[in-house]
Amino acid sequence: MENRLRELREQRGITQEELAVRVKVSRQTIISLEKGKYNPSINLAYSLARVFQLPIESVVIFEEGKECSK
Protein backbone atom coordinates (compact mmCIF):
# COMPACT_ATOMS: atom_id res chain seq x y z
CA MET A 1 0.00 0.00 0.00
CA GLU A 2 1.34 3.41 -0.91
CA ASN A 3 0.24 6.88 0.11
CA ARG A 4 0.57 10.48 -0.97
CA LEU A 5 0.83 11.94 2.53
CA ARG A 6 4.11 13.77 2.13
CA GLU A 7 3.11 15.20 -1.24
CA LEU A 8 -0.30 16.37 -0.02
CA ARG A 9 1.04 17.67 3.28
CA GLU A 10 3.80 19.69 1.60
CA GLN A 11 1.43 21.08 -1.06
CA ARG A 12 -0.72 22.48 1.73
CA GLY A 13 2.12 23.69 3.93
CA ILE A 14 1.21 21.41 6.83
CA THR A 15 3.96 20.13 9.12
CA GLN A 16 4.14 16.54 10.28
CA GLU A 17 3.31 17.72 13.78
CA GLU A 18 0.24 19.67 12.60
CA LEU A 19 -1.04 16.68 10.66
CA ALA A 20 -0.44 14.40 13.63
CA VAL A 21 -2.45 16.70 15.90
CA ARG A 22 -5.31 16.92 13.38
CA VAL A 23 -5.66 13.14 13.11
CA LYS A 24 -4.80 12.44 16.76
CA VAL A 25 -1.66 10.34 16.30
CA SER A 26 2.00 10.91 17.11
CA ARG A 27 4.40 12.66 14.75
CA GLN A 28 6.32 9.37 14.64
CA THR A 29 3.23 7.69 13.17
CA ILE A 30 3.10 10.30 10.40
CA ILE A 31 6.82 9.78 9.72
CA SER A 32 6.30 6.00 9.54
CA LEU A 33 3.34 6.41 7.20
CA GLU A 34 5.27 8.73 4.90
CA LYS A 35 8.19 6.29 4.75
CA GLY A 36 5.84 3.40 3.95
CA LYS A 37 6.78 1.52 7.11
CA TYR A 38 3.21 1.47 8.39
CA ASN A 39 -0.20 1.15 6.75
CA PRO A 40 -2.99 3.20 8.29
CA SER A 41 -6.11 1.65 9.76
CA ILE A 42 -9.30 2.43 7.86
CA ASN A 43 -10.20 4.97 10.57
CA LEU A 44 -6.85 6.74 10.25
CA ALA A 45 -7.02 6.67 6.44
CA TYR A 46 -10.47 8.26 6.64
CA SER A 47 -9.22 10.95 9.04
CA LEU A 48 -6.28 11.73 6.77
CA ALA A 49 -8.56 11.95 3.73
CA ARG A 50 -10.83 14.38 5.59
CA VAL A 51 -7.90 16.64 6.46
CA PHE A 52 -7.01 16.88 2.77
CA GLN A 53 -10.68 16.95 1.69
CA LEU A 54 -10.10 14.07 -0.73
CA PRO A 55 -11.46 10.55 -1.16
CA ILE A 56 -9.48 7.89 0.71
CA GLU A 57 -8.37 6.45 -2.65
CA SER A 58 -6.62 9.75 -3.46
CA VAL A 59 -4.57 9.60 -0.26
CA VAL A 60 -3.93 5.88 0.28
CA ILE A 61 -3.32 3.81 -2.83
CA PHE A 62 -4.02 0.09 -2.65
CA GLU A 63 -2.17 -2.01 -5.23
CA GLU A 64 -3.81 -5.30 -6.22
CA GLY A 65 -1.61 -8.32 -5.74
CA LYS A 66 0.63 -6.74 -3.11
CA GLU A 67 0.44 -8.08 0.41
CA CYS A 68 -0.56 -5.53 3.04
CA SER A 69 1.89 -5.03 5.89
CA LYS A 70 1.27 -3.59 9.33
Side-chain angles (χ1 to χ4, degrees), residues 2 4 10 16 23 31 43 48-49 51 53 63 66-68:
E2 294 184 26
R4 298 177 52 217
E10 289 177 349
Q16 290 173 332
V23 296
I31 291 168
N43 291 333
L48 291 164
V51 167
Q53 298 179 326
E63 295 180 20
K66 285 196 173 182
E67 188 174 316
C68 294

Side-chain angles (χ1 to χ4, degrees), residues 3 5 7 10 15 18 22 24 31 33 36-37 39 50 52 54 61 65:
N3 68 68
L5 287 181
E7 171 192 348
E10 289 177 349
T15 67
E18 289 169 333
R22 288 186 187 187
K24 299 178 180 151
I31 291 168
L33 288 167
K37 294 183 177 184
N39 289 328
R50 287 196 51 146
F52 298 116
L54 293 170
I61 300 113

Side-chain angles (χ1 to χ4, degrees), residues 9-42:
R9 183 178 58 73
E10 289 177 349
Q11 283 176 354
R12 289 162 175 78
I14 300 171
T15 67
Q16 290 173 332
E17 184 65 34
E18 289 169 333
L19 182 56
V21 168
R22 288 186 187 187
V23 296
K24 299 178 180 151
V25 297
S26 69
R27 180 172 169 261
Q28 187 61 43
T29 297
I30 299 300
I31 291 168
S32 293
L33 288 167
E34 288 185 357
K35 289 183 177 183
K37 294 183 177 184
Y38 171 72
N39 289 328
S41 67
I42 190 68

